[in-house]
Amino acid sequence: MTVEDIKRLVLSADKTAKHYVADKKGESFTIWAETNRLGLSADDRHDMGWAFQIVHYVRGEDRTTADAIEQALIDHPGVAYSYAVSYERTSGYTRHIFDCEGQ
């Protein structure tokens, strides 16, 4: 999986998602970033991939975009992920955090 593959996956779920940073404005936004290079070697073959994180911030209870991100991850072959939710008291945003690995 390349960085461009990750970008396409994320944008398929949220067309306004930003790479690395986004202005904290509005009711919701999504940030994604590759975090570390993965290498899988077997039978003299090297497959490279990335660990990456997608974080969707939303005020209120709307899960539409978080659900779309999760569905995009489910539909993409070769991606494993964990999903956690946390609340930031100071900003009022709920964070939907997807820690992913893709080969």
Side-chain angles (χ1 to χ4, degrees), residues 2 5-7 10 12 17-18 23 27 32-33 42 50-51 65-66 69 71 74 77 83-84 88 94 96 98-100:
T2 67
D5 293 333
I6 298 167
K7 179 181 178 179
V10 175
S12 74
K18 302 293 183 198
D23 292 334
E27 292 303 304
W32 66 276
W50 282 100
T65 301
I69 293 167
Q71 191 60 54
I74 289 168
Y83 179 16
E88 291 183 349
T94 299
H96 297 267
F98 299 89
D99 287 310
C100 313

Side-chain angles (χ1 to χ4, degrees), residues 41-60:
S41 299
D43 298 327
D44 293 327
R45 181 177 164 185
H46 299 279
D47 292 326
M48 303 303 282
W50 282 100
F52 60 100
Q53 188 175 68
I54 306 166
V55 183
H56 178 67
Y57 294 79
V58 64
R59 289 195 174 135

Side-chain angles (χ1 to χ4, degrees), residues 15-28:
K15 297 198 182 322
T16 63
K18 302 293 183 198
H19 194 205
Y20 299 126
V21 295
D23 292 334
K24 280 191 170 186
K25 295 180 181 173
E27 292 303 304
S28 69

Side-chain angles (χ1 to χ4, degrees), residues 30-46:
T30 302
I31 299 171
W32 66 276
E34 68 279 11
T35 57
N36 49 304
R37 194 71 155 134
L38 303 173
L40 178 64
S41 299
D43 298 327
D44 293 327
R45 181 177 164 185
H46 299 279

